[in-house]
Amino acid sequence: MEKGIGKLLSVTGCAWLFDAMDVGLLSFILVAIQKDWGLSQVQVGWLGSVNSIGLAVGAIIFGLLADTKGRKLMLMVTLLTFSVATGLSALASGYLVFMVLRFFVGLGLGGELPVASTLVAEHVPQHIRGRVIVLLESFWAVGWLLASLLAYFVIPAYGWRITLVIASLSAFYVFILRRHLPTDQKAVTKNSARPTLSPWQRIRKLFEKPYRRSTIMLWLVWFMIMFSYYGIFLWLPNVLVGKGFSMVHSFGYVVVMTVAQLPGYFTAAWLVEKWGRKSVLATFLLGTAVSAFAFGFATTVPMVLLSGMLLSFFNLGAWGVLYAYTPELYPTAIRGTANGLAEGFGRLGGILGPLAIGVFLSKHLSFEAIFAVFSLAIMVAVLTILVLGRETKGVELD
């Protein structure tokens, strides 16, 4: 890999890592907060969903701003937003204050991902673009692994508040971004040669004939994958406790499952330039559906670990391909907007997923039935890709 591309990947990837660490920590902190504050399952579900509301709003707002204010600036703003809000949430005095702050954490977290993937896509040559973006997404696994380790070693010994203070130190990384990220020269050059579109014009353009089919496909896929991902992974420690494992053992099992995400990303990165985006995405989502179904029926430690590792392998590999696929379907003038709105609509699924599983558990629905629902959602995404998707492997970006 060229030196410049390697630097871009590592600098942007570390920002992506901090995003993942913050999202991952919430799943562990929810267990501790529920115990400290005596929250119901539905209240815990709402904390996850409010975070996802922030993620949705952030993806849309910062996606729109990235097309006018620049990718680099918005990446720095989003990092500062979620880092500062994370630090403030460590001081939360109760449930409602924590919920409000989690919205602002989500605002920054949701905005960073589409902006970062758009920036990288525009600075990487087409023959390795898909692979580089999947590798960018692989930093998500490292972030979740760090979150798992913080939860395993820090929460039991020092509590969840100290853990959030540690996570908020990511704010200082903005100085690295400012110095080492490339300018948005490509986007600026292309957009200066044509009339500037208003936000509403950019949104409307997504549904014009050249892009309508892709927009419908992406919005459905993003919705289903986020519904299942956030429903499963934000509740994973709670689900393991519900299956009879202790909180400490549950955190340890999640660490093991998280490690399995890395080979999932690397396999997807290798295949995406050989099979193409559409085939790899459909294949990995099919693997996700089967693994989720198996996890719901797992009762022993070996079954839980194996099905959980496969679920992590396929689900996060699919995420990487989806981040590579989305910006390739649109021209530069509307790419940030398209990326942000697709992810923003998908975040509605991220809102419903944690809320749904909280309601399901409060109604004493079995784990088998709950995970069957998530498997069905993923199968809808697979069929949508096969019917409406088009291949973008080797396509030059406009």
Side-chain angles (χ1 to χ4, degrees):
M1 189 177 296
E2 297 176 18
K3 182 180 179 181
I5 295 174
K7 179 181 178 181
L8 174 65
L9 176 61
S10 60
V11 171
T12 313
C14 285
W16 201 284
L17 178 156
F18 292 130
D19 196 306
M21 184 179 71
D22 213 309
V23 173
L25 273 177
L26 180 61
S27 66
F28 299 103
I29 286 169
L30 287 179
V31 178
I33 285 178
Q34 183 178 21
K35 184 179 178 180
D36 285 356
W37 291 345
L39 304 180
S40 68
Q41 299 280 34
V42 173
Q43 284 178 307
V44 174
W46 268 111
L47 279 177
S49 294
V50 164
N51 188 74
S52 291
I53 292 172
L55 288 164
V57 175
I60 294 169
I61 290 176
F62 289 107
L64 286 163
L65 289 173
D67 278 333
T68 54
K69 304 298 182 182
R71 294 30 164 152
K72 180 177 178 177
L73 176 60
M74 290 303 103
L75 188 57
M76 293 189 293
V77 170
T78 55
L79 177 78
L80 281 175
T81 300
F82 74 73
S83 298
V84 172
T86 295
L88 291 175
S89 65
L91 306 175
S93 57
Y95 177 73
L96 290 178
V97 175
F98 189 82
M99 181 179 285
V100 171
L101 288 169
R102 282 314 302 186
F103 170 81
F104 286 100
V105 173
L107 195 73
L109 295 171
E112 184 185 77
L113 301 180
V115 173
S117 59
T118 300
L119 185 149
V120 173
E122 291 175 343
H123 287 84
V124 177
Q126 56 85 15
H127 66 283
I128 58 169
R129 185 175 58 237
R131 181 165 297 157
V132 170
I133 296 180
V134 176
L135 290 175
L136 170 67
E137 169 68 1
S138 72
F139 281 82
W140 186 269
V142 182
W144 263 82
L145 182 58
L146 287 177
S148 303
L149 292 173
L150 280 173
Y152 188 78
F153 290 108
V154 179
I155 291 179
Y158 303 102
W160 59 269
R161 294 182 188 274
I162 296 298
T163 307
L164 289 176
V165 170
I166 293 171
S168 71
L169 297 177
S170 58
F172 292 102
Y173 192 70
V174 73
F175 297 109
I176 303 296
L177 294 179
R178 185 173 183 272
R179 181 173 180 178
H180 294 287
L181 277 183
T183 59
D184 301 305
Q185 191 58 46
K186 183 174 181 180
V188 170
T189 301
K190 284 183 174 288
N191 284 329
S192 63
R194 61 188 66 173
T196 302
L197 299 174
S198 69
W200 175 242
Q201 287 175 317
R202 277 180 272 140
I203 295 171
R204 192 171 62 183
K205 199 170 182 65
L206 301 181
F207 293 94
E208 293 179 358
K209 189 173 181 180
Y211 313 112
R212 185 185 306 127
R213 185 185 181 102
S214 295
T215 298
I216 293 171
M217 182 271 295
L218 286 172
W219 285 28
L220 282 172
V221 173
W222 274 104
F223 181 92
M224 294 302 175
I225 197 172
M226 287 198 179
F227 174 79
S228 60
Y229 175 82
Y230 283 100
I232 293 171
F233 284 92
L234 279 182
W235 277 88
L236 194 53
N238 266 304
V239 168
L240 290 171
V241 170
K243 284 179 175 284
F245 304 106
S246 70
M247 185 174 78
V248 174
H249 279 102
S250 297
F251 286 3
Y253 296 153
V254 174
V255 172
V256 175
M257 294 176 197
T258 303
V259 172
Q261 295 178 11
L262 285 170
Y265 283 124
F266 298 150
T267 304
W270 181 70
L271 290 173
V272 76
E273 299 296 358
K274 294 181 177 294
W275 293 3
R277 285 63 161 145
K278 182 177 175 179
S279 299
V280 176
L281 183 55
T283 300
F284 271 68
L285 285 177
L286 182 60
T288 300
V290 174
S291 302
F293 190 78
F295 187 85
F297 284 87
T299 53
T300 65
V301 171
M303 290 173 62
V304 165
L305 289 177
L306 178 60
S307 59
M309 289 172 71
L310 288 172
L311 181 58
S312 292
F313 177 94
F314 285 112
N315 189 269
L316 277 298
W319 269 93
V321 179
L322 187 57
Y323 269 108
Y325 192 29
T326 302
E328 293 181 337
L329 291 165
Y330 300 94
T332 301
I334 60 171
R335 187 171 295 120
T337 299
N339 217 0
L341 262 68
E343 190 167 333
F345 183 81
R347 295 293 177 188
L348 297 177
I351 295 166
L352 293 176
L355 188 59
I357 199 170
V359 172
F360 291 158
L361 289 173
S362 69
K363 300 295 183 182
H364 307 292
L365 201 66
S366 70
F367 290 121
E368 293 86 349
I370 292 171
F371 279 81
V373 170
F374 292 125
S375 295
L376 182 61
I378 291 296
M379 287 306 302
V380 171
V382 172
L383 292 174
T384 302
I385 293 164
L386 294 177
V387 173
L388 297 178
R390 66 179 178 88
E391 185 52 60
T392 57
K393 175 186 170 184
V395 174
E396 283 282 359
L397 296 186
D398 174 19

